[in-house]
């Protein structure tokens, strides 16, 4: 099978068609010579050669022109098989991309046609499969083979700028050839075939300021020293043309908006060289008094200006700062103006760019100067005091009308108007002071008390007689000086606790005094008991000569039951001139004391303070305790009165265990039961003696009375006979256990030469022992000390 084409639409294709027709097919596969492998040796010795049909497929790419607009289908090529004898027995079929829709084949002749107009930019090639079949048997005469149909490109697409239009910037005053922007156009045609996609750039608008590279599309500056202040925006139009820019090529264009950015190439300039400004002398310090501005044609930071006053005359009185928003110089006052002293000021003001570009230093210095003349205006001013504040003093208790001090103010204007003084009515100073409206002398209105208010702050105001609306103020502080007009007093207001166990000479408490007066060198106090009163038998007072005094007990013991409260008047003198004294009466309370370190507290107070309970809480606790005790007593009473029967029921004849809650006396209980009655009742009755009676008393006479104790008369008892009787009972007692027993009777006997050592019968004698040391043994021995103390008191009495 061979494939051929017969239609050519361009000279190039005509040459290819001519070569195809002259040589058959441009590429072919030569037929192979049969080899020995295709031979069969017969029995007769001959060799049969098997001839394989020669394949006639000649494969190459088919070409079809895009955008075919003719009335007939476009011829693509022809399929032909060597098995085709031209009798119509071979049928050609076509399959693959576009088979049957775009490409059709003549089943008899094998001619292929394109039925539709193709676009290479949509699909550049098609892959198809061809096969030759026997029309009668439908058997494949050749295997299925693949071939490609390429769509031949024509110049049907113009260049395009997909990203346009463009915006670009370039600094002003840039050098020639400075790159601004690169633009790139695209062409959908085949770049590998002809010049359909070869693009050349050119500038249509924007000359002579800018140029474009024809190959790369880079836009550059073409004119030097382009000034933004002269022209800021430029519109440049760039064209892209294919076919290498030849006649007949397609083209496209785009717009580039180029803006010149600012650089600091212009110095600041004041619109004029001389300025004038009027400022009243009443202008406040720190407040703006005027403005000045230098113009700069640049933008942003390139137009920032710093203002300064370069001459000393103006810099001492005025300051200038820059307003960041308006770029104006704000002139402010540094010191108060005085028309009477100086009426005019001259300021030399300089404006300098803060961001200078050294590339443009050849243009000159980026600064400018101007002169500002300030005229001070005369204003009627308020009076001015001679001092910013006044401090005065006066003694307390001084009579009303006493002079405290004087203030002075005068009119600063040239007229020197008279001044009137008065106190601020909104303050309390008018109650204590008054001021002479002509002289400014301040006096008291009443006696002042330093202890009530040691300092007074008042405000004095001054105004001109001709113009009372103009006021000036000055603060005046008045100190009240102290005099000794208050007697001292005892510092403590609490009761003084006196322990019952206090001894003579013991310090009860140390006291101090207070005085409302102010002593510059420190307070000094003296203490004593009133001399007009008799000597106090209970307490005395000792001056410690350090502004303190000690209360000392004069007797040994106190008893709160006998007397609980004592009063002690004390006289205190101060060290002032003249010296003043005061009498204070202290209350001393007698209490049984407990010792807690160095602090002594009454027992009742200590209990309450340690518990931290109120009276209501204590009453509630006591009430609860009483209720609990009542419940316990009631429970015990009911338990004792409750009697349980020994036998629960008369009909219940079963064995019962009767429980008694009575306890026996044990081995020592000799009176509970006599076991002799169980062993030998008859003998027990004969030998039974009463052990709970005393022996008989026998009367003795004569010398025995001389052996009696001289201290007490005792009943005469014959103890010897009593012991013998007990010995006979023990010997004749058959109920005792069969072992020896020892019975001991502690009897001293009569007529002892030393007498009885028992203290019970001894007559009372006065003890010489002093038991006062028990007071120092602590609260554990306090009760014992109280007992011996009462005994000693009784003996002493």
């Amino acid at each position: 099978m061979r494939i051929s084409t017969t239609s050519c639409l361009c000279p190039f294709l005509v040459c290819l068609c001519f070569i195809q027709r002259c040589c058959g097919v441009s590429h072919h596969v030569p037929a192979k010579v049969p080899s020995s492998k295709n031979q069969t040796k017969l029995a007769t010795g001959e060799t049969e050669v098997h001839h394989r049909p020669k394949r006639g497929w000649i494969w190459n790419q088919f070409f079809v022109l895009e955008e075919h607009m003719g009335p007939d289908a476009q011829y693509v090529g022809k399929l032909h098989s060597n098995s085709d004898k031209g009798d119509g027995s071979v049928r050609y079929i076509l399959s693959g991309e576009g088979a049957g829709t775009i490409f059709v084949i003549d089943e008899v002749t094998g001619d292929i046609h394109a039925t539709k107009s193709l676009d290479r930019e949509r699909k550049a090639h098609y892959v198809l499969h061809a096969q030759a079949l026997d029309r009668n048997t439908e058997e494949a005469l050749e295997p299925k083979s693949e071939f490609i149909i390429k769509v031949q490109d024509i110049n049907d697409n113009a260049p395009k700028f997909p990203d346009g239009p463009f915006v670009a910037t370039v600094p002003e005053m840039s050098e020639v050839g400075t790159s601004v922007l690169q633009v790139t156009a695209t062409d959908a045609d085949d770049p590998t075939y002809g010049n359909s996609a070869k693009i050349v750039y050119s500038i249509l608008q924007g000359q002579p300021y800018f140029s474009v590279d024809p190959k790369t599309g880079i836009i550059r500056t073409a004119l030097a020293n382009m000034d933004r202040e002269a022209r800021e925006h430029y519109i440049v139009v760039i064209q892209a043309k294919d076919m290498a820019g030849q006649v007949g090529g397609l083209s496209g264009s785009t717009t580039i908006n180029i803006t010149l950015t600012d650089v600091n190439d212009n110095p600041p300039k004041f619109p004029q060289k001389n300025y004038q400004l009027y400022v009243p002398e009443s202008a406040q310090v720190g407040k703006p008094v005027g403005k000045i501005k230098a113009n700069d044609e640049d933008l942003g930071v390139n137009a920032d200006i710093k203002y300064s006053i370069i001459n000393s005359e103006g810099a001492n009185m005025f300051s200038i700062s820059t307003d960041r928003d308006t770029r104006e110089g704000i002139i402010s006052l540094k010191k108060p103006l005085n028309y009477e002293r100086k009426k005019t000021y001259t300021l030399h003001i300089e404006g300098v760019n803060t961001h200078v570009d050294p590339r443009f230093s050849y243009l000159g210095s980026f600064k400018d100067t101007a002169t500002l003349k300030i005229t001070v205006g005369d204003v009627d001013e308020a009076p001015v005091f001679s001092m910013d504040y006044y401090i005065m003093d006066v003694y307390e208790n001084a009579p009303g009308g006493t002079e405290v001090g004087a203030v002075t103010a005068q009119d600063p204007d040239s007229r020197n108007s008279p001044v009137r003084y008065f106190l601020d009515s909104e303050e309390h100073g008018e109650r204590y002071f008054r001021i002479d409206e002509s002289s400014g002398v301040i006096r008291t209105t009443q006696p002042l008390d330093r202890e009530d208010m040691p300092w007074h702050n008042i405000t004095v105001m001054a105004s001109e007689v001709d113009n009372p609306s103009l006021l000036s103020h000055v603060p005046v502080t008045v100190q009240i000086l102290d005099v000794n007009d208050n007697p001292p007093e005892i510092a403590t207001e609490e009761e003084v606790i006196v322990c019952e166990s206090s001894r003579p000479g013991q310090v009860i408490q140390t006291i101090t005094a207070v005085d409302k007066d102010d002593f510059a060198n420190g307070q000094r106090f003296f203490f004593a008991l009133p001399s007009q009163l008799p000597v106090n038998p209970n307490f005395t007072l000792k001056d410690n000569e350090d502004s303190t005094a000690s209360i000392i007990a004069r007797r040994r013991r106190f008893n709160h039951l006998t007397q609980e409260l004592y009063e002690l008047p004390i006289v205190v003198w101060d060290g002032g001139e003249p010296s003043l004294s005061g009498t204070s009466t202290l209350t001393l309370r007698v209490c049984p004391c407990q010792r807690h370190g160095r602090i002594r507290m009454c027992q009742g107070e200590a209990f309450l303070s340690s518990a931290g309970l109120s009276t209501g809480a204590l009453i509630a606790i006591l009430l609860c305790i009483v209720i609990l005790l009542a419940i316990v007593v009631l429970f015990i009473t009911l338990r004792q009165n409750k009697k349980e029967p020994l036998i629960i029921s008369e009909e219940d004849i079963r064995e019962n265990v009767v429980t008694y809650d009575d306890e026996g006396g044990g081995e020592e209980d000799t009176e509970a039961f006599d076991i002799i009655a169980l062993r030998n009742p008859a003998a027990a009755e004969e030998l039974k003696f009463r052990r709970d009676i005393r022996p008989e008393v026998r009367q003795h006479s004569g010398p025995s009375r001389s052996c009696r104790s001289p201290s007490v008369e005792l009943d005469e008892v014959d103890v010897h006979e009593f012991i013998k009787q007990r010995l006979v009972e023990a010997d004749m007692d058959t109920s005792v256990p069969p072992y020896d027993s020892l019975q001991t009777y502690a009897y001293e006997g009569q007529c002892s030469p030393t007498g009885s050592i028992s203290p019970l019968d001894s007559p009372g004698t006065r003890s010489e022992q002093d038991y006062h040391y028990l007071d120092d043994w602590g609260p554990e021995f306090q009760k014992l000390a109280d007992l011996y103390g009462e005994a000693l008191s009784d003996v002493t009495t």
Side-chain angles (χ1 to χ4, degrees), residues 234-545:
Y234 296 86
I235 298 177
V236 178
V237 178
I238 301 297
Q239 182 189 64
K241 189 175 183 180
D242 58 11
M243 298 299 293
Q246 298 177 5
V247 179
L250 303 179
S251 64
S253 62
T254 187
T255 302
I256 302 97
N257 295 312
I258 300 177
T259 301
L260 297 183
T261 58
D262 184 65
V263 297
N264 192 7
D265 59 340
N266 294 281
K269 290 183 179 181
F270 288 99
Q272 58 192 56
K273 290 297 183 181
N274 296 290
Y275 296 87
Q276 291 185 355
L277 181 63
Y278 173 83
V279 179
E281 63 174 336
S282 60
Q284 296 183 6
V285 175
K287 298 295 183 179
V289 295
K291 300 178 181 179
I292 191 171
K293 183 178 182 181
N295 297 326
D296 194 323
E297 296 180 352
D298 295 324
L299 299 175
V301 296
N302 297 320
D304 288 345
I305 301 174
K306 180 181 180 182
Y307 298 93
S308 60
I309 301 174
I310 59 178
N311 65 321
S312 59
E313 177 186 355
N316 291 332
M317 293 296 297
F318 299 90
S319 63
I320 189 169
S321 59
T322 303
D323 189 329
R324 297 296 181 185
D325 297 330
T326 63
R327 293 189 174 89
E328 294 177 330
I330 309 300
I331 302 171
S332 302
L333 188 62
K334 292 175 63 176
K335 297 179 181 179
L337 296 175
N338 193 332
Y339 174 81
E340 289 72 25
R341 293 183 181 180
K342 191 175 181 61
K343 297 178 176 59
T344 60
Y345 293 90
T346 300
L347 280 65
H348 297 296
I349 300 175
E350 181 183 68
V352 181
N353 279 141
T354 56
H355 299 83
V356 179
D357 194 337
R359 295 180 301 171
F360 307 105
S361 59
Y362 65 90
L363 297 177
S365 60
F366 284 76
K367 61 183 178 180
D368 195 16
T369 58
T371 302
L372 174 63
K373 184 177 182 181
I374 296 179
T375 301
V376 180
D378 187 17
V379 177
D380 192 5
E381 300 175 86
V384 178
F385 286 94
S386 60
M387 300 176 63
D388 294 334
Y389 60 92
Y390 293 86
I391 298 179
M392 305 175 183
D393 55 56
V394 64
Y395 279 99
E396 65 174 333
N397 301 328
T402 302
E403 181 178 344
V404 179
V407 296
T408 304
Q410 63 179 4
D411 183 12
D413 298 325
S414 57
R415 295 179 302 173
N416 195 14
S417 299
V419 178
R420 184 173 63 90
Y421 304 94
F422 55 95
L423 298 178
D424 189 354
S425 60
E426 296 182 358
E427 298 181 351
H428 71 280
E430 286 188 340
R431 295 187 300 168
Y432 306 103
F433 305 95
R434 69 175 186 269
I435 187 171
D436 188 280
E437 62 180 22
S438 299
S439 62
V441 176
I442 301 174
R443 300 178 184 275
T444 61
T445 60
Q446 59 181 337
L448 302 178
D449 189 2
R450 188 202 66 85
E451 289 72 32
D452 183 26
M453 186 179 295
W455 293 87
H456 293 267
N457 295 315
I458 60 177
T459 301
V460 177
M461 296 186 293
S463 65
E464 296 180 9
V465 176
D466 299 336
N467 189 1
S469 61
L470 295 177
L471 298 175
S472 59
H473 305 74
V474 66
V476 179
T477 301
V478 180
Q479 181 183 10
I480 309 302
L481 302 178
D482 183 58
V483 296
N484 190 17
D485 60 342
N486 291 279
E489 298 176 353
I490 300 298
T492 180
E493 296 181 355
E494 300 178 355
E495 294 180 343
V496 178
I497 302 301
V498 179
C499 291
E500 291 184 340
S501 59
S502 299
R503 299 185 302 275
Q506 180 178 345
V507 176
I508 303 300
Q509 185 169 332
T510 300
I511 60 174
T512 60
V514 293
D515 196 326
K516 296 180 180 179
D517 293 324
D518 182 20
F519 295 91
N521 298 323
Q523 295 181 341
R524 180 74 173 89
F525 300 106
F526 306 93
F527 302 86
L529 297 178
S531 59
Q532 66 272 17
L533 298 179
V535 177
N536 193 316
N538 300 310
F539 305 97
T540 186
L541 187 69
K542 177 184 177 183
D543 192 338
N544 298 325
E545 299 182 355

Side-chain angles (χ1 to χ4, degrees), residues 557-767:
R557 299 188 57 80
F558 296 88
N559 193 328
H560 73 285
L561 299 178
T562 304
Q563 183 175 351
E564 183 179 6
L565 299 177
Y566 294 87
E567 291 185 351
L568 182 65
I570 299 176
V571 182
V572 186
W573 291 271
D574 60 18
E577 292 293 338
S579 178
L580 298 180
S581 65
T583 302
S584 301
T585 301
L586 296 182
T587 301
L588 288 75
R589 179 180 295 274
V590 178
C591 293
C593 294
Q594 293 181 351
R595 298 191 179 186
H596 301 280
R598 296 184 179 182
I599 301 176
R600 295 184 177 183
M601 304 173 61
C602 284
Q603 293 178 350
E605 296 178 357
F607 174 77
L608 293 177
S609 63
S610 61
L613 300 176
S614 62
T615 304
L618 292 176
I619 294 175
I621 293 174
L622 293 177
L623 184 60
C624 293
I625 293 174
V626 171
I627 294 174
L628 290 176
L629 291 177
I631 294 174
V632 172
V633 172
L634 181 61
F635 177 77
I636 294 174
T637 304
L638 294 176
R639 185 177 180 86
Q640 290 179 353
N641 295 334
K642 183 178 180 182
K643 296 182 179 180
E644 297 180 358
L646 298 180
I647 300 177
I648 300 175
S649 176
E650 295 180 357
E651 288 81 7
D652 191 0
I653 59 175
R654 294 174 298 174
E655 294 182 358
N656 293 279
V657 177
V658 180
T659 303
Y660 297 92
D661 291 336
D662 297 336
E663 296 182 357
E667 297 178 356
E668 297 178 359
D669 188 5
T670 59
E671 302 295 335
F673 188 78
D674 192 0
I675 199 173
I676 298 176
L678 298 177
R679 295 179 179 177
N680 191 357
E685 291 294 333
E686 294 178 359
L687 299 176
K688 185 175 182 180
F689 295 94
R690 294 288 301 275
R691 299 187 180 184
D692 56 345
I693 62 173
R694 300 179 64 181
E696 296 180 359
V697 178
R698 296 183 180 182
Q699 298 293 331
H700 295 271
S701 62
S704 62
R705 289 187 177 270
S706 63
C707 298
R708 293 178 182 176
S709 173
S711 61
V712 63
E713 292 291 337
L714 300 177
D715 295 337
E716 295 181 358
V717 179
D718 193 349
V719 179
H720 180 69
E721 293 296 331
F722 179 77
I723 294 175
K724 289 177 63 177
Q725 184 178 356
R726 289 291 183 267
L727 181 60
V728 171
E729 291 177 3
D731 292 339
M732 300 180 65
D733 190 0
T734 59
S735 62
V736 298
Y739 50 81
D740 295 335
S741 64
L742 177 63
Q743 296 185 8
T744 304
Y745 298 91
Y747 175 62
E748 299 177 2
Q750 292 182 342
C751 297
S752 174
T754 59
S756 176
I757 63 175
S758 173
L760 300 179
D761 299 331
S762 301
T765 58
R766 181 174 180 179
S767 175

